[in-house]
């Protein structure tokens, strides 16, 4: 799929649908095993999805988990260019739920520099949760700028800009069922 106006096109699937299913099931097993003795119907695990990219992953993960969960969302935005992270985080939508004494699991689409996550961990820690953990569907370890803990990682990928399975490029391609690399078309142009 090419976008002649922007000069970008989509590469083949880097993480296919079957692999996505395997990743979600493995993460769900690990997370359920860790939290089963800590949470209950009265005090469920609070999954905090970071909008909008984590929505698709969160909806799959929430249904695969074997422990009681409740859901909340947070929207953050980093200032700066569209395919680069500036590290300055702005809260666009905060949680509806108080997190004091709750077991909180932040659900992220992808960890890149780690700056967003570092900010979120500090922001949440100040609110007195029982624990904070992070699950990220994808990780780009080569891009890490800060040493931030990510308890559960779906898969590490190379330093490429990816879309699909919730991830966007200019709000597009979020509904692609697999993860694809987005590439700039060569200046000679391509006919497809
Ligand atoms: P960080 O603060 O770790 O540098 O940035 C994390 C955020 O940057 C992710 O939640 C995501 O919104 C965005 N991001 C980083 N890498 C990619 C990528 O390859 N594709 C897309 N669509 N977003 C990315």
């Amino acid at each position: 799929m090419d976008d002649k106006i922007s000069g970008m096109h989509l590469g083949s699937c880097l993480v296919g649908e079957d692999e996505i299913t395997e990743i979600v099931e493995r993460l769900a097993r690990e997370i359920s095993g860790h939290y089963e003795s800590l949470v209950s119907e009265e005090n469920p695990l609070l999954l905090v999805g970071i909008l909008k990219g984590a929505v698709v992953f969160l909806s799959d993960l929430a249904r695969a988990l074997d422990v009681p969960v409740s859901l909340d969302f947070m929207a953050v935005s980093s200032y700066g260019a569209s395919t680069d992270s500036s590290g300055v985080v702005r809260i666009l939508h905060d949680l509806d739920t108080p997190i004091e004494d709750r077991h909180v699991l932040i659900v992220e689409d992808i960890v890149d520099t780690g700056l967003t996550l570092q900010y979120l961990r500090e922001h949440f820690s100040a609110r007195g949760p029982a624990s904070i953990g992070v699950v990220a569907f994808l990780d780009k370890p080569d891009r890490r700028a800060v040493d931030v803990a990510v308890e559960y990682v779906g898969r590490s990928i190379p330093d490429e800009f990816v879309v699909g399975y919730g991830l966007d490029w200019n709000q597009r391609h979020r509904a692609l069922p697999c993860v694809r690399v987005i590439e700039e078309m060569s200046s000679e142009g391509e006919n497809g």
Side-chain angles (χ1 to χ4, degrees):
M1 200 187 303
D2 290 349
D3 185 334
K4 296 221 168 63
I5 298 170
S6 64
M8 306 297 260
H9 81 115
L10 296 179
S12 58
C13 284
L14 181 66
V15 191
E17 290 180 66
D18 290 348
E19 187 177 354
I20 290 175
T21 305
E22 284 169 23
I23 290 171
V24 170
E25 285 173 0
R26 172 178 56 79
L27 291 172
R29 275 196 305 277
E30 291 174 16
I31 293 166
S32 300
H34 177 76
Y35 286 100
E36 66 184 345
S37 61
L38 301 173
V39 300
S40 61
E41 291 295 344
E42 295 70 40
N43 184 21
L45 176 63
L46 180 62
L47 299 180
V48 174
I50 308 304
L51 296 171
K52 302 173 189 169
V55 162
V56 178
F57 172 48
L58 181 138
S59 69
D60 282 348
L61 181 69
R63 288 175 294 168
L65 286 170
D66 216 8
V67 289
V69 297
S70 55
L71 309 183
D72 205 343
F73 296 92
M74 187 145 174
V76 296
S77 150
S78 44
Y79 295 101
S82 57
T83 59
D84 212 353
S85 301
S86 65
V88 182
V89 175
R90 186 166 51 124
I91 295 179
L92 304 176
H93 173 79
D94 209 341
L95 300 178
D96 295 331
T97 322
I99 62 168
E100 199 176 348
D101 298 330
R102 299 287 306 272
H103 290 282
V104 177
L105 185 65
I106 299 172
V107 182
E108 259 285 28
D109 49 4
I110 187 165
V111 185
D112 187 32
T113 63
L115 289 161
T116 306
L117 212 47
Q118 184 182 53
Y119 173 84
L120 288 172
R121 288 195 85 115
E122 284 169 10
H123 181 78
F124 286 6
S125 293
R127 299 184 185 182
S131 70
I132 301 179
V134 173
V135 55
F137 177 64
L138 296 176
D139 185 17
K140 287 199 267 193
D142 296 346
R143 293 263 308 161
R144 197 72 89 256
V146 287
D147 187 17
V148 63
V150 185
E151 282 77 4
Y152 305 96
V153 172
R155 200 190 124 164
S156 295
I157 61 166
D159 179 12
E160 306 266 19
F161 194 81
V162 292
V163 295
Y165 197 60
L167 289 152
D168 76 310
W169 183 75
N170 281 352
Q171 299 305 322
R172 294 177 52 198
H173 309 306
R174 289 195 198 276
L176 286 175
C178 72
V179 175
R180 293 175 185 267
V181 175
I182 195 157
E183 296 157 347
E184 263 178 79
M185 290 197 294
S186 67
S187 51
E188 282 103 59
E190 292 172 20
N191 292 325

